[in-house]
């Protein structure tokens, strides 16, 4: 039994790292990893959203180019009620202008036609989504308001 108790002390003396130092280092490393996760968790979502928006815009451009349609992207019109209407994309056709609103979301979107906001459920936190028909009416009226 005397040899078993002497081996860990001998190994610690040979490496210079005792049991207390190794535990303190491990706890410090774990605390740093948790802190880093908490700081970066909220920073990664905007980067992910920006990447997804860019990917969606490239898809819309590629589809419009294949169909040989004239596409206008990312512009602002004077909106109804002295506001501004942001247009993600507009395709010019012989019959009129088709406005595009590109949105990315996870889960399901629930709402009725008369509700001012719909709910995007299935995410970690439910998000409010503006009702698309009301948004579209604002874009249609933006042309006549200016």
């Amino acid at each position: 039994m005397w040899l078993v108790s002497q081996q860990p002390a001998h190994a610690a003396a040979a490496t210079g790292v005792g049991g207390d130092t190794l535990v303190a280092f491990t706890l410090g490393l774990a605390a740093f990893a948790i802190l880093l996760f908490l700081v970066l968790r909220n920073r990664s979502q905007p980067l992910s959203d920006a990447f997804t928006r860019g990917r969606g815009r490239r898809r819309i451009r590629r589809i419009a180019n294949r169909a040989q349609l004239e596409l206008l992207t990312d512009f602002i019109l004077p909106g109804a009620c002295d506001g501004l209407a942001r247009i993600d994309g507009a395709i010019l056709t012989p019959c009129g202008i088709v406005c595009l609103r590109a949105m990315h979301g996870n889960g399901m979107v629930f709402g009725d036609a008369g509700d001012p906001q719909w709910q995007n459920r299935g995410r970690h936190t439910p998000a409010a989504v503006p009702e698309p028909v009301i948004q579209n009416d604002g874009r249609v009226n933006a042309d006549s308001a200016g």
Side-chain angles (χ1 to χ4, degrees):
M1 201 61 163
W2 182 78
L3 289 175
V4 173
S5 64
Q6 289 296 323
Q7 282 181 339
H10 176 59
T15 60
V17 177
D20 294 337
T21 307
L22 188 58
V23 169
F25 176 76
T26 305
L27 288 176
L29 187 62
F32 177 74
I34 290 170
L35 181 64
L36 188 65
F37 170 75
L38 291 174
V39 168
L40 295 180
R41 178 181 62 174
N42 293 333
R43 303 278 189 234
S44 66
Q45 190 62 39
L47 293 175
S48 174
D49 290 346
F51 175 76
T52 304
R53 264 192 312 274
R55 189 172 64 193
R57 289 176 182 161
R58 285 189 299 275
R59 278 186 188 162
I60 291 170
R61 261 189 246 114
R62 187 174 56 239
I63 291 169
N65 287 340
R66 282 186 195 159
Q68 297 179 347
L69 299 171
E70 190 172 345
L71 175 68
L72 302 172
T73 57
D74 295 326
F75 58 94
I76 297 174
L77 294 174
C81 302
D82 296 329
L84 298 174
R86 181 176 172 265
I87 309 293
D88 291 334
I91 296 176
L92 305 176
T93 68
C95 298
I97 299 173
V98 178
C99 288
L100 305 172
R101 174 75 174 137
M103 294 180 69
H104 174 74
N106 296 325
M108 303 282 290
V109 177
F110 295 94
D112 291 327
D115 293 342
Q117 290 193 345
W118 291 1
Q119 291 294 316
N120 182 6
R121 296 187 190 141
R123 302 172 60 161
H124 297 292
T125 56
V129 178
E131 202 267 325
V133 176
I134 294 173
Q135 279 190 324
N136 191 49
D137 288 343
R139 288 183 179 87
V140 169
N141 294 330
D143 182 40
S144 60

